[in-house]
Amino acid sequence: MSTAEAAATAEAREPGTRIKSSSPRQIPAVGVVTEDEEAQGVFTSMDLNRVIKLLEETEKDDLEEKQLKSVKKVVQCYQNGLPLRDLAQIFKILNLCAGKIKKQPHFIEPAYNILKLCGLPFLKKKVSDEITYAEDTANSIALLGDLMKVPSSELRIQICKCITDFYHAEPPKQHIPGYQQASSLYKIKMAEVGGLAKTMAQSLALLENQLVEKLWVLKALQHLSTSEVNCTLMVKAQAASGICAHLNDPDPSGQLLFRSSEILWNLLEKSSKEEIIQQLSNLECVLALKEVFKSLLTRGFSHYDRQLRNDILVITTIIAQNPGAPMIECGFTRDLILFATFNEVKSQNPLVKGLKLSNSYEDFELKKLLFNIIVILCKDLSTIQLLIDGKVILALFSYVKKPEKQKIIEWSAAQYEELQLHAIATLSSVAPFLIEEYMLCQGNAQVLAFLEWCESEDSFFSQGNSFHGTGGRGNKFAQMRYSLRLLRAMVYLENETINKDLCEKGTIQQLLGIFKNTISKYNDKEEAILLEIQSDILLILSGLCEHHIPRKEIFGTEGVDIILHVMKTDPKKLQSGLGYNVLLFSTLDSIWCCILGCYPLEEYFLEKEGIFLLLDLLALNPQKFCNLILGIMVEFCDNPKTAAHVNAWRGKKDQTAASLLIKLWRKEEKELGVKRDKHGKIIDTKKPLFTSFQEKQKITPLPANCPTIAVMDVAENIRAKIYAVLGKLDFENLPGLSAEDFVTLCIIHRYLDFKTGEIWNEIYEEIKLEKLRPVTMDKNILESITTASENIGKMVASLQSEMIESQACQDVQNEQKVYTKIQATHKQRELANKSWENFLARTSNAKTLKKAKRLQEKAIESSRRSKQPPNAVFHWTDIKGLNTTVPSGRVVTVESTPARLVGGPLADTDIALKKLPIRGGALQRVKAVKTVDEPKKSVPT
């Protein structure tokens, strides 16, 4: 037998060994104890079952002394650590001791000693022990929480110490041969599995008036709350509300508030935030938070107090997000508004008398947190009156001004800049709820003046360090961005008083000037923030000019030029993710609101080829913009000059606007799941426009004021807009359409008829579902309408079939023409080949050449006149002695044989004897020789 097997056998026979019930499989032993090591007496052999049985006895004399003595032996035996195999029995002994404490107080000490052992590392003989005894370990650790019910302060404190020791494991006092220390995270994991955090959280209810024990429990919970599993268990035990309600309990040490806030933070971060907010949204918790915050703000002066104060305010901010939280009822909202504005608006409230914030980091963070909580509080309409009473708008507007260098302020330049941006951002959220206060503070004038400063060249070095200052380092773009956001928020209220006041102050001209300047200052570094500024300017202009022709005239050609400049942006940039999509949306919106309806601006837009730019954008097929662009096109087509521009446009591959619109129609129907065959022909003549969504939805009776699915379909896709544009362009005279386009155009042409029939069919079906029986006349009319709609569908389908057949015939004819052209090409090639063969025959066979020469001379002779006119001068056109059968002039260049070898091109002809070069030899091309006219009669010299 091997050493490992012998050890395993010895272990199986050892008294008190726990029988493994959780895992029947055999796990190989890695670490074992030899017989020699066991003989050293590291763990004295004890029968733990005998100790348990002794503790369970109740009727013998001197029993208590024997029991105490046996437990003491157990403590001595395991003073170096608890083996995982004995853990269940040891904890059973601990539980039995705890149960006797109430009647026999002497058992407190042994229980206390056993708990001290629990703080030591757990020991394992085998690597597999952590898995084998996992269930027993988890149950044993869970027992610690149940022992908190024992009315003993010593035991409760020791339990908490034991739990905190889980997170600060110390090595065993003495190395035990054959045993290894369990991993440091093992206890923590088993505590999660056993649900220790839940029972510990529940134990807080037992310790309301026992400060020391409560602090120890909070310390243990603080450690346990670092785990998501434990936080979830604590939430189930209502730990958040239980801890928060006692935040303001008296505690000279200050630990209660610190540990409680830390636990609340962990719960918010690591468990369900919504559930925590719900637990804390009661009067008791909010009152406790209020009192703690006020106390720390007014009486806390240390760095620690300020940090804790800010933590409490953050927790309060999270709770304030719940509309059901009693923030107003307990007076917390009023106090928070007071604390947020007391620096800017003087108050006689005793809470802020003598209160002053320094420029320390904690006070700076407090100021920002107070601005932030005002934004959250203003969402509750019942807070509005408190905001008015607290003069919040006036306080925030104190930051909307040029920084004054001469004035001594309590914040550093970087801090003031960040607070300024934060205040303007807060105004964007609060001011729309307080319109009267905004106007009383001359809000428009202040914002426009601030914008003027932002646009000026004044020396100002922005830090750009904060979240709100992103992209604004070394410039005033951040201030401009948040000022424009504020204006946009006010303009979008559609309050005529505000908008009229803005227009009277020259806002339109000022914004156009700012936009032009941003174009000139454009650079890649601040691209994102400049795009946002430009988008906001266009949105503000849209809000001001909509439905007001005089304001559109003020917008003028200068504004149109800006819009055209934006529309010429490189299409590739739309995919860059830097705000170009938003800018394009704003531009299209400004076309709708600032140009349409003003005839001079429409004319100017058309003259500058604005329609071409719209169609170029539509041709890019941007799904996000199609609906908006087509809506603009529909409105523009009311202008009689628009149709000519639309028809004149040409896209890629000479695509026309009509072809583009029909292509978009087909794509839209494909996405909607409309039934069409491979040629685009109608399949279902009863429901030619039905989408897959309409097929799935059953018709249900609706009130008269509710639109049906057929009606909603008109607004939810672009088919109605395409129909409207093509209708205004005249269906009969659309250029550049293919046969497939004409097939689709048949459906578009009848869109209104099909949609009308579809709606009447819905009405008829609803009447049937409601089990109503219309009068005979109405019934006949409904049936006639349904039949007429179906007949139109059949007629369109028939027309489409004719078009498809006609196109098929045309395709066959075109194919035949191509084949004919191919045949002619092949025939020409055959003739060319035959001619080449004849040429080769003449050049390679003298007889063939002579025969060809004779035939040529005969043909030439037969072409001449039989009788010559009187007094006519006859000129010979052929050269005698020339052995060629091709038409020849007086000079023939033979490239195949070099002239130096044969003496010249005409060396062997009769004409060579007429003109000889000075150098002699055959007739050659000489630059210095001047050609002499030939006499009428050819006489040799």
Side-chain angles (χ1 to χ4, degrees):
M1 183 183 293
S2 65
T3 307
E5 290 172 348
T9 306
E11 180 187 350
R13 295 177 179 177
E14 185 180 349
T17 302
R18 181 183 181 278
I19 299 174
K20 303 177 186 177
S21 57
S22 57
S23 177
R25 62 193 179 91
Q26 296 297 322
I27 302 175
V30 177
V32 297
V33 181
T34 64
E35 293 179 359
D36 295 337
E37 289 171 344
E38 245 185 50
Q40 294 176 3
V42 175
F43 283 121
T44 306
S45 180
M46 279 198 71
D47 188 352
L48 294 177
N49 287 329
R50 181 174 171 279
V51 176
I52 293 170
K53 188 175 180 182
L54 180 63
L55 288 171
E56 288 174 346
E57 294 179 0
T58 56
E59 299 178 355
K60 292 184 180 180
D61 296 332
D62 298 330
L63 186 60
E64 181 178 346
E65 185 178 350
K66 292 180 181 179
Q67 290 173 339
L68 290 171
K69 189 175 180 180
S70 63
V71 174
K72 188 176 180 181
K73 287 182 180 179
V74 171
V75 173
Q76 289 176 349
C77 179
Y78 295 100
Q79 59 184 343
N80 292 316
L82 300 178
L84 292 176
R85 64 180 185 181
D86 297 334
L87 202 61
Q89 292 168 304
I90 292 170
F91 267 84
K92 188 170 183 180
I93 293 170
L94 173 62
N95 192 32
L96 290 170
C97 290
K100 296 177 178 294
I101 288 175
K102 191 173 182 180
K103 295 180 180 179
Q104 297 171 284
H106 293 96
F107 278 93
I108 292 178
E109 184 179 352
Y112 179 87
N113 291 332
I114 294 175
L115 284 171
K116 286 180 70 176
L117 297 179
C118 296
L120 298 174
F122 290 163
L123 303 174
K124 58 184 179 181
K125 286 184 74 174
K126 307 173 186 176
V127 173
S128 59
D129 280 358
E130 289 186 1
I131 300 172
T132 306
Y133 299 106
E135 184 178 350
D136 291 342
T137 306
N139 294 335
S140 300
I141 291 177
L143 185 62
L144 293 175
D146 296 331
L147 293 177
M148 290 297 294
K149 298 175 184 178
V150 178
S152 170
S153 177
E154 293 179 12
L155 284 185
R156 288 171 175 172
I157 293 173
Q158 185 55 44
I159 290 170
C160 296
K161 286 181 179 180
C162 179
I163 294 171
T164 54
D165 285 342
F166 290 177
Y167 297 85
H168 308 286
E170 297 180 0
K173 297 176 183 178
Q174 179 183 347
H175 175 67
I176 304 170
Y179 282 87
Q180 300 173 4
Q181 181 178 342
S183 63
S184 57
L185 298 177
Y186 184 67
K187 285 185 179 180
I188 298 173
K189 183 66 178 175
M190 292 300 102
E192 293 175 0
V193 174
L196 176 62
K198 183 177 181 181
T199 52
M200 290 300 294
Q202 291 170 342
S203 68
L204 279 173
L206 306 172
L207 310 172
E208 289 189 4
N209 300 319
Q210 300 171 41
L211 180 60
V212 177
E213 296 170 26
K214 184 188 291 186
L215 291 177
W216 274 105
V217 172
L218 289 174
K219 184 177 181 180
L221 288 174
Q222 185 181 353
H223 284 82
L224 290 169
S225 64
T226 56
S227 157
E228 292 184 7
V229 176
N230 288 336
C231 284
T232 304
L233 293 169
M234 290 167 67
V235 169
K236 291 179 180 178
Q238 301 291 314
S241 57
I243 292 171
C244 186
H246 295 280
L247 279 176
N248 203 34
D249 287 0
D251 174 28
S253 68
Q255 290 187 44
L256 186 143
L257 183 56
F258 165 71
R259 298 196 187 283
S260 298
S261 62
E262 186 72 18
I263 293 169
L264 291 176
W265 262 112
N266 290 339
L267 290 175
L268 286 167
E269 288 179 354
K270 300 179 185 298
S271 61
S272 172
K273 190 175 180 180
E274 293 74 19
E275 194 168 347
I276 296 295
I277 292 174
Q278 200 62 39
Q279 285 188 23
L280 298 178
S281 297
N282 58 69
L283 189 61
E284 189 178 6
C285 291
V286 176
L287 273 173
L289 287 168
K290 172 192 170 184
E291 295 303 324
V292 168
F293 179 74
K294 284 167 59 177
S295 174
L296 290 170
L297 181 61
T298 55
R299 293 191 289 274
F301 298 100
S302 67
H303 176 76
Y304 164 77
D305 288 339
R306 290 171 179 170
Q307 282 187 331
L308 197 54
R309 171 199 66 191
N310 291 354
D311 289 346
I312 295 297
L313 184 54
V314 172
I315 294 171
T316 303
T317 303
I318 295 171
I319 296 172
Q321 295 174 7
N322 181 14
M327 297 289 293
I328 298 175
E329 291 82 347
C330 68
F332 203 0
T333 299
R334 184 182 295 276
D335 290 345
L336 288 171
I337 293 171
L338 174 65
F339 293 137
T341 60
F342 79 94
N343 265 12
E344 296 75 23
V345 180
K346 300 304 176 185
S347 173
Q348 300 301 320
N349 194 303
L351 272 177
V352 295
K353 189 176 181 180
L355 182 62
K356 188 176 181 181
L357 298 179
S358 66
N359 61 357
S360 65
Y361 177 77
E362 289 76 21
D363 285 353
F364 175 60
E365 287 295 317
L366 171 69
K367 192 69 178 177
K368 292 195 294 181
L369 288 171
L370 289 170
F371 281 167
N372 186 56
I373 200 168
I374 285 176
V375 174
I376 294 170
L377 292 173
C378 74
K379 296 175 183 178
D380 185 357
L381 295 180
S382 55
T383 311
I384 300 302
Q385 188 57 48
L386 296 176
L387 295 172
I388 295 171
D389 296 341
K391 300 180 181 179
V392 172
I393 295 293
L394 180 62
L396 293 173
F397 262 116
S398 65
Y399 291 92
V400 188
K401 59 185 178 182
K402 173 184 176 181
E404 300 177 15
K405 295 181 181 179
Q406 308 299 330
K407 187 177 178 181
I408 299 174
I409 55 176
E410 56 190 350
W411 308 108
S412 68
Q415 287 175 334
Y416 182 80
E417 180 196 351
E418 190 170 347
L419 288 177
Q420 183 184 59
L421 294 172
H422 206 143
I424 300 172
T426 305
L427 270 172
S428 302
S429 300
V430 178
F433 296 102
L434 305 172
I435 296 174
E436 291 183 11
E437 284 64 33
Y438 177 85
M439 295 303 293
L440 286 172
C441 293
Q442 294 292 317
N444 288 337
Q446 291 198 57
V447 176
L448 293 175
F450 190 67
L451 274 174
E452 189 175 350
W453 170 76
C454 293
E455 195 184 3
S456 68
E457 299 296 331
D458 290 356
S459 59
F460 174 76
F461 185 77
S462 172
Q463 303 298 320
N465 295 325
S466 65
F467 166 78
H468 296 287
T470 304
R473 187 170 183 81
N475 53 54
K476 293 175 269 190
F477 289 150
Q479 286 81 357
M480 186 182 291
R481 171 172 58 181
Y482 281 98
S483 300
L484 289 170
R485 283 188 186 180
L486 173 57
L487 278 182
R488 187 187 69 190
M490 300 311 296
V491 168
Y492 267 53
L493 294 173
E494 298 184 359
N495 185 292
E496 189 55 31
T497 304
I498 295 174
N499 291 356
K500 185 179 179 182
D501 183 58
L502 283 169
C503 293
E504 289 174 353
K505 287 180 169 57
T507 304
I508 295 176
Q509 299 94 319
Q510 185 176 348
L511 292 179
L512 291 174
I514 293 173
F515 197 106
K516 282 184 169 181
N517 287 337
T518 58
I519 294 174
S520 62
K521 294 177 182 177
Y522 180 84
N523 61 74
D524 293 337
K525 191 175 181 182
E526 285 91 19
E527 185 177 26
I529 190 171
L530 285 171
L531 289 174
E532 185 179 342
I533 287 171
Q534 291 174 351
S535 301
D536 284 341
I537 288 173
L538 292 176
L539 289 172
I540 292 167
L541 291 171
S542 299
L544 291 173
C545 296
E546 191 174 13
H547 310 309
H548 290 86
I549 301 298
R551 295 177 189 173
K552 293 181 181 181
E553 291 172 352
I554 297 172
F555 183 78
T557 56
E558 185 181 5
V560 176
D561 287 335
I562 287 173
I563 288 173
L564 293 171
H565 171 81
V566 176
M567 292 180 68
K568 292 175 184 176
T569 302
D570 185 358
K572 294 179 181 178
K573 291 185 176 180
L574 294 176
Q575 307 298 328
S576 64
L578 290 172
Y580 280 100
N581 278 316
V582 178
L583 179 60
L584 188 56
F585 266 120
S586 305
T587 305
L588 295 173
D589 187 53
S590 61
I591 293 174
W592 194 294
C593 299
C594 302
I595 297 178
L596 287 171
C598 182
Y599 193 75
L601 295 188
E602 288 184 10
E603 292 279 322
Y604 186 76
F605 186 80
L606 292 172
E607 287 175 12
K608 294 294 182 177
E609 299 182 348
I611 289 295
F612 288 1
L613 294 174
L614 278 174
L615 288 169
D616 287 340
L617 188 59
L618 191 62
L620 295 173
N621 200 15
Q623 194 167 2
K624 299 176 183 177
F625 305 118
C626 277
N627 214 332
L628 187 54
I629 295 171
L630 288 170
I632 294 170
M633 292 287 296
V634 171
E635 296 297 326
F636 255 113
C637 285
D638 288 336
N639 190 316
K641 296 182 180 180
T642 303
H645 286 262
V646 174
N647 288 327
W649 177 83
R650 291 294 181 271
K652 290 182 179 179
K653 298 181 180 179
D654 206 32
Q655 185 182 33
T656 62
S659 176
L660 172 62
L661 293 171
I662 293 171
K663 180 181 175 183
L664 288 174
W665 175 285
R666 285 198 293 267
K667 182 184 176 185
E668 184 75 4
E669 287 200 330
K670 186 177 180 180
E671 291 176 355
L672 294 172
V674 181
K675 292 180 180 179
R676 299 281 184 263
D677 67 4
K678 62 180 181 179
H679 301 293
K681 181 183 169 185
I682 293 174
I683 294 178
D684 188 351
T685 55
K686 291 183 179 180
K687 302 173 181 177
L689 298 178
F690 251 47
T691 64
S692 58
F693 175 76
Q694 287 176 283
E695 292 282 357
K696 294 175 184 176
Q697 295 292 321
K698 295 181 180 179
I699 296 175
T700 54
L702 295 171
N705 59 346
C706 293
T708 61
I709 297 174
V711 176
M712 290 297 294
D713 176 72
V714 176
E716 288 176 351
N717 57 69
I718 62 175
R719 291 189 293 179
K721 292 182 176 66
I722 294 174
Y723 166 77
V725 174
L726 291 176
K728 291 181 179 181
L729 294 177
D730 186 4
F731 285 107
E732 304 299 329
N733 298 307
L734 298 175
L737 299 184
S738 63
E740 185 182 13
D741 292 337
F742 278 112
V743 170
T744 307
L745 187 63
C746 293
I747 301 172
I748 301 174
H749 195 188
R750 289 291 185 173
Y751 174 78
L752 190 59
D753 296 329
F754 290 149
K755 184 55 68 174
T756 304
E758 189 179 310
I759 292 170
W760 276 109
N761 184 60
E762 274 192 339
I763 294 171
Y764 196 18
E765 292 297 325
E766 285 186 16
I767 290 173
K768 289 180 180 178
L769 289 171
E770 292 178 350
K771 297 181 180 180
L772 300 175
R773 189 168 60 85
V775 297
T776 305
M777 183 65 71
D778 290 344
K779 184 178 181 181
N780 292 337
I781 292 172
L782 283 172
E783 290 175 351
S784 300
I785 292 171
T786 306
T787 305
S789 177
E790 188 176 350
N791 290 337
I792 292 172
K794 291 178 180 178
M795 180 188 70
V796 171
S798 175
L799 181 60
Q800 287 178 315
S801 298
E802 291 177 9
M803 287 182 175
I804 293 168
E805 291 174 4
S806 174
Q807 181 61 31
C809 293
Q810 184 66 37
D811 290 342
V812 171
Q813 292 176 6
N814 293 338
E815 188 177 352
Q816 190 62 43
K817 287 180 181 179
V818 173
Y819 284 142
T820 304
K821 190 179 290 186
I822 292 171
Q823 288 175 352
T825 302
H826 279 287
K827 188 174 182 180
Q828 187 65 28
R829 285 178 183 173
E830 289 174 3
L831 291 173
N833 291 336
K834 190 174 181 181
S835 175
W836 175 250
E837 290 172 0
N838 291 335
F839 176 74
L840 290 177
R842 293 196 304 271
T843 55
S844 61
N845 192 327
K847 292 182 179 180
T848 305
L849 178 62
K850 291 177 180 179
K851 183 178 178 182
K853 182 66 177 178
R854 287 195 298 271
L855 290 173
Q856 185 187 43
E857 290 175 349
K858 186 177 179 181
I860 292 171
E861 191 64 31
S862 65
S863 68
R864 290 173 177 166
R865 293 184 180 183
S866 56
K867 293 182 179 181
Q868 296 294 335
N871 302 322
V873 178
F874 180 74
H875 298 277
W876 289 97
T877 58
D878 55 343
I879 302 171
K880 293 181 179 181
L882 187 67
N883 297 324
T884 63
T885 57
V886 295
S888 304
R890 289 187 176 275
V891 179
V892 176
T893 301
V894 180
E895 296 180 354
S896 60
T897 306
R900 67 179 180 276
L901 301 178
V902 296
L906 301 175
D908 297 333
T909 63
D910 294 340
I911 198 170
L913 303 175
K914 293 182 181 181
K915 296 186 181 76
L916 296 175
I918 296 173
R919 292 180 297 173
L923 183 64
Q924 297 180 5
R925 184 178 297 175
V926 179
K927 294 182 180 178
V929 176
K930 182 178 180 182
T931 306
V932 181
D933 294 339
E934 184 184 358
K936 292 182 180 179
K937 291 184 179 180
S938 179
V939 180
T941 58

